[in-house]
Amino acid sequence: MEKFTSHTGTGLPLRRSNIDTDQIIPAVYLKRVSRTGFEDGLFAAWRQDPQFVLNLPQYKLATILITGPDFGTGSSREHAVWALQDYGFKVVIGSRFGDIFSNNSGNAGLLLAKVSHEDVEQLWKIVENHPETEITVDLEARSITASDGFTTSFTIDDYTRWRLLEGLDNIGLTLRAEDKIAAYEANRPSYKPTTIPVQTGS
Amino acid sequence: MTTAKTLSEKLWDAHTVTSDENNDLLYIDLHLVHEVTSPQAFDGLRQAGRPVRRPDLTLLTEDHNIPTVDVDKPIADPVSRTQVETLRKNAEEFGLRIHKLGDLDQGIVHIIGPQLGLTQPGTTVVCGDSHTSTHGAFGALAFGIGTSEVEHVLATQTLPQRKPKTMAVNVNGDLPAGVTAKDVVLALIAKVGTGGGQGYVAEYRGSVIEGLSMEARMTICNMSIEWGAKAGIIAPDETTFEYLKGRPHAPQGADWDAAVEYWKTLRTDEGATFDVEVDLDAAELSPFVTWGTNPGQGVPLSASVPDPETFFDESSRTAAEKALEYMDLKAGTPMREIAVDTIFLGSCTNGRIEDLRAAADVIKGRKIADSVRMLVVPGSARVRLQAESEGLDVVFKEAGAEWRGAGCSMCLGMNPDQLAPGERSASTSNRNFEGRQGKGGRTHLVSPVVAAATAVTGTLTAPADLPDAG
Ligand code: SF4
């Protein structure tokens, strides 16, 4: 995973709430077995509308998605995170995110910057009036600053922040505690199930 | 003095391998895997040269991409076929148990875990699928994960997690006749909203829950994710033990006794407090259906499509307007007058034997309306066999419904069973999101008995509304 310290780019206002991961990337786009190339599925149904904000020329180069509450609810598909990243987004700013989507973002290196909904409204207005406004999201300082002077702080849990800053792979970190995992396993009661095949009849 | 704990806290603590100020490292007892969310995880293992740590705690099956007819022929869609074949190759390479299409134990991942007796009280269960919450019905701590986490569990059999908050959902009172577990959970979601459970493990409690069968409990836990909960859980009891006894992977002999003794301790302690409690009065419930594009947008079947103007806050109002536009519905239309084209009976929410029996009971001796098609899709190959041995397939076929093979089918637009653009369905699945059942498709979530009655009349209907209902 690449280290993330700070990102500067322009914002895209997505004025919707309750965006489930089926909307972020519909199921038909999940069939690929590779880890890349999911950008074509991003908001695929909505993108057919030429007026959908992703299709507006002034937001073509945006790298910061500013969204309404409850973004990323529903299905566990990490493809939703990959689609956002493959399309070019580095940060999603919003007031509330789905649980699994949050974990997936942290694991894949997409920064979710949590702010109040009032801040979201402010940022929407800023990028709607001036799409070219540069926004800096600084993970070290946990701050969002717009070139017009707007500034606010965002929340992110310490662990995810640290991992993003260091670009650390979770698995490697966990395996440092390998001896503890082995010790736990050694005490697992015999009545706990395993998937070793048993005769299941016919 | 030991502190009183809730059930989910007990399970959490019992599975904590290490902890620091940020996270607990949770041990995972059972990892279920399907074809859609796993290919990139196996790729990650390969690239890092890591094996699967515990093949004996891992189980693979094929469900999302597969067709439910002509299952003996190669999968027609080449991309779906590749994904299924990739799962098979990964099973082979990493030495993992897999139930392929055509196998007796193949089926929807959340149906086969319980059916095999692998889902047990006191275990932790994860799967790269949000409806893993289903398994909580057994008093297991079960939740959905993303692909990076799938890779993490494959490599380490653990997951770093932040401890969730706890919530009690108390369902007391007498459930009126004709009201099912599906109605309970749809009414709950309408009450608390789709984000109401975010950050919580919800324990469903109360006399109504205690009186439910395992199938019905699974229906409720299944939809925990639809109101944002990390997991749903129900304390195990005699109903649970009875369901498990004799299943292929249930403990046997002395192990059974030891297990039951442990399982009986899996209750929320007297005096333990939940961070939040929600109460639902069963007596006020009635058959429930959705009108919008998220599972929280539901009303009693006897009500009408709501007017967006009646919503207090702006974002609910806008969401309702958008939903009505997508659903092509007018405010004020009685729900009972909405005509549907397709009925889907199946999915991990309502594709178990009890669901099929309940629907067959309604449909028996009747015909489905000429204007509709009805797909009946058992959740697993064994559910299908069981239903056939009871003659349920004949009931459905004689009524004019299609009897299919096991899989996710029309729950999601990933396999050949899809709604056409503009088509409207009454579906026993769990998500009415835009395009979920096929691009442009419109979904009304319903219980199995409402699905069956709707098939008979062609408009949203409860069994009690049928003319010659006894
Ligand atoms: S039946 Fe539907 S919700 Fe359940 S696992 Fe399959 S696609 Fe997911």
Side-chain angles (χ1 to χ4, degrees), chain B residues 63-64 108-110 129 131 222 347-348 408 411-412 430 436:
Chain B
D63 52 9
H64 285 66
I108 304 173
V109 66
H110 311 307
D129 192 284
H131 292 100
N222 173 275
S347 87
C348 59
C408 293
C411 178
L412 95 170
N430 43 48
R436 170 76 178 182

Side-chain angles (χ1 to χ4, degrees), chain B residues 48-206:
Chain B
R50 289 174 177 139
V52 172
R53 183 180 177 89
R54 293 296 299 263
D56 61 333
L57 301 181
T58 310
L59 183 71
L60 281 55
T61 193
E62 304 167 354
D63 52 9
H64 285 66
N65 268 282
I66 54 166
T68 54
V69 287
D70 296 333
V71 297
D72 45 347
K73 304 212 180 83
I75 298 176
D77 172 15
V79 203
S80 287
R81 190 166 67 227
T82 305
Q83 200 163 63
V84 169
E85 277 167 1
T86 304
L87 186 77
R88 294 177 186 180
K89 278 191 214 134
N90 285 328
E92 174 125 36
E93 180 180 338
F94 290 91
L96 305 172
R97 174 171 167 190
I98 181 171
H99 291 298
K100 302 176 194 173
L101 192 56
D103 255 33
L104 269 176
D105 285 309
Q106 176 268 337
I108 304 173
V109 66
H110 311 307
I111 305 253
I112 68 168
Q115 176 181 288
L116 285 164
L118 280 167
T119 304
Q120 294 180 12
T123 58
T124 44
V125 182
V126 298
C127 173
D129 192 284
S130 60
H131 292 100
T132 309
S133 58
T134 312
H135 306 261
F138 289 80
L141 188 65
F143 52 90
I145 57 178
T147 299
S148 296
E149 292 173 311
V150 170
E151 183 182 342
H152 194 281
V153 177
L154 288 170
T156 70
Q157 204 57 35
T158 62
L159 263 186
Q161 293 281 307
R162 248 183 320 280
K163 198 168 186 168
K165 291 175 285 184
T166 59
M167 185 190 293
V169 177
N170 306 306
V171 193
N172 287 300
D174 289 316
L175 214 52
V179 180
T180 68
K182 185 65 163 286
D183 305 309
V184 171
V185 71
L186 284 175
L188 172 70
I189 302 169
K191 175 175 169 151
V192 297
T194 52
Q198 258 167 40
Y200 292 92
V201 173
E203 182 179 336
Y204 301 99
R205 300 153 62 85

